[in-house]
Amino acid sequence: MSPGTIRARHVAATGVHRAAGRVMDILELVARTRGGLALRELSAQLEAPKSSLLPLLRTLTARGYLEQGALGEYGLGPKALELGMGSPAHRAWPEIARPVLRELMQRTGETVFLGALGGDGTAVVFVDKVESEQVIRYAAGVGDRRALHATSSGKVILAFLPARERERILRALPLKRYTDRTVTSLPALRAALDEVRHTGVCVNLDELALGAAGIAAPIFAPDGRVAGACAIGGPTDRVRPRLKPLAAQVKAAARAISALLGHRGEPPATSRRDPVFREDGFQGRRRQNLGDE
């Protein structure tokens, strides 16, 4: 008996609304699939006719729960991601932050991201973006997940989590090596997070992918907890010569978003000293050990 037949019998037996169930099937399948799914793929995996899926997909896209990529693939949209962010005060924050993101993109010329901790605590999820107008640019989709330990957004969020929660996540993280610059030991990662807490910004050069750079700063909720990260991403060769001004612009944008969310005062545990950027791109007074220990 096929999964489609089993599902149909279950619906009939329980009285579940068929169309509502199909909407949930679509959202759950898209959420599990990195890179999005085309209509034909959704039809095949859900064992449903394209003609019955298309109106649902169009409605979900129009309402912002799905978004369609350049090749027609469907991925999660901002509204779906907002629903998973917890309290009602947090659910509207991508919409609140968008004007600041647009301005940051115009000022820096790079793609700007809004990131939040994934529900499973193992990745950062992009909940909104404003794409650069440059021909060569950093590209990632809303809903895409990235490793916490190998991204500027991920490390910023980790750095400002409560100590007990941060340590629980760190002990469970698989510190996968993506490049020879990826931090793959807990002592080195803890030291890097300490530096991020002191400076209020994280710079990442070539740690997730060679040639890709990111700069992120924390966004805070009214209660002082870290709500997410504001980040820019671009080619390393274009970002490296501008580290100091770009870092200042990202920090200013993150503070503006925090203020719009209702946060007041200095970011928790952040000193007023500026980060020190070395010629090799490493942040802080000394290069941390990146290898396994």
Side-chain angles (χ1 to χ4, degrees), residues 6 56 65 67 71 81 85 97 104 125 127 134 159 174-175 179 190 204 206 210 264 290-291:
I6 294 172
L56 297 177
Y65 291 94
E67 66 175 14
L71 300 177
L81 294 162
M85 292 205 53
L104 182 59
V125 180
V127 298
Q134 305 263 19
L175 300 182
T179 74
R190 289 189 183 105
N204 183 311
D206 302 327
L210 293 176
R264 299 289 181 267
L290 302 185

Side-chain angles (χ1 to χ4, degrees), residues 24 43 51 56 79 90 100 105 107 153 155 160 201 209 226 232 256 270:
M24 297 308 299
S43 175
S51 58
L56 297 177
K79 289 291 185 182
H90 288 172
V100 180
M105 188 281 289
R107 287 179 177 274
S153 296
K155 282 190 278 191
F160 286 93
V201 67
V226 63
I232 62 167
T270 302

Side-chain angles (χ1 to χ4, degrees), residues 115 119 129 132 137 182 187 200 203-204 214 220-221 230 240 259 273:
K129 70 168 181 177
S132 169
R137 57 185 179 267
T182 307
V203 174
N204 183 311
F220 295 99
C230 173
R240 191 197 305 269
R273 69 183 174 91

Side-chain angles (χ1 to χ4, degrees), residues 103-117:
E103 183 179 356
L104 182 59
M105 188 281 289
Q106 293 293 335
R107 287 179 177 274
T108 64
E110 306 298 348
T111 301
V112 180
F113 295 98
L114 202 60
L117 185 65

Side-chain angles (χ1 to χ4, degrees), residues 17-264:
H17 193 278
R18 188 180 186 86
R22 183 65 75 198
V23 166
M24 297 308 299
D25 290 340
I26 292 169
L27 291 174
E28 290 173 359
L29 179 57
V30 170
R32 292 196 303 266
T33 308
R34 183 172 177 177
L37 289 166
L39 174 58
R40 66 179 183 280
E41 295 170 316
L42 286 163
S43 175
Q45 294 197 41
L46 294 175
E47 298 184 355
K50 297 178 187 177
S51 58
S52 67
L53 291 178
L54 191 55
L56 297 177
L57 292 170
R58 286 175 174 166
T59 301
L60 288 167
T61 302
R63 298 289 294 272
Y65 291 94
L66 294 178
E67 66 175 14
Q68 217 170 353
L71 300 177
E73 73 282 4
Y74 291 91
L76 287 183
K79 289 291 185 182
L81 294 162
E82 288 171 25
L83 288 177
M85 292 205 53
S87 69
H90 288 172
R91 288 202 289 266
W93 74 300
E95 183 178 347
I96 293 170
R98 181 154 269 268
V100 180
L101 302 185
R102 286 200 192 100
E103 183 179 356
L104 182 59
M105 188 281 289
Q106 293 293 335
R107 287 179 177 274
T108 64
E110 306 298 348
T111 301
V112 180
F113 295 98
L114 202 60
L117 185 65
D120 59 2
T122 64
V124 61
V125 180
F126 295 138
V127 298
D128 201 4
K129 70 168 181 177
V130 176
E131 198 157 272
S132 169
E133 296 172 352
Q134 305 263 19
V135 174
I136 300 174
R137 57 185 179 267
Y138 191 99
V142 172
D144 282 1
R145 295 164 59 90
R146 295 290 187 269
L148 288 172
H149 71 290
T151 56
S152 58
S153 296
K155 282 190 278 191
V156 153
I157 292 171
L158 276 175
F160 286 93
L161 285 174
R164 184 173 296 180
E165 184 178 355
R166 178 173 61 250
E167 191 59 29
R168 176 182 59 77
I169 291 174
L170 287 177
R171 291 185 177 278
L173 274 184
L175 300 182
K176 178 180 176 181
R177 182 184 295 280
Y178 294 93
T179 74
D180 61 0
R181 295 172 71 91
T182 307
V183 179
T184 56
S185 75
L186 277 179
L189 183 54
R190 289 189 183 105
L193 298 180
D194 285 344
E195 183 67 21
V196 171
R197 276 194 301 280
H198 284 302
T199 62
V201 67
C202 180
V203 174
N204 183 311
L205 300 182
D206 302 327
E207 293 185 40
L208 184 67
L210 293 176
I215 302 175
I219 296 168
F220 295 99
D223 62 3
R225 286 182 60 90
V226 63
C230 173
I232 62 167
T236 301
D237 290 345
R238 202 161 65 213
V239 170
R240 191 197 305 269
R242 301 184 291 154
L243 286 179
K244 189 171 182 179
L246 288 177
Q249 289 170 323
V250 172
K251 286 180 71 174
R255 286 179 177 173
I257 296 170
S258 298
L260 289 172
L261 292 179
H263 179 259
R264 299 289 181 267

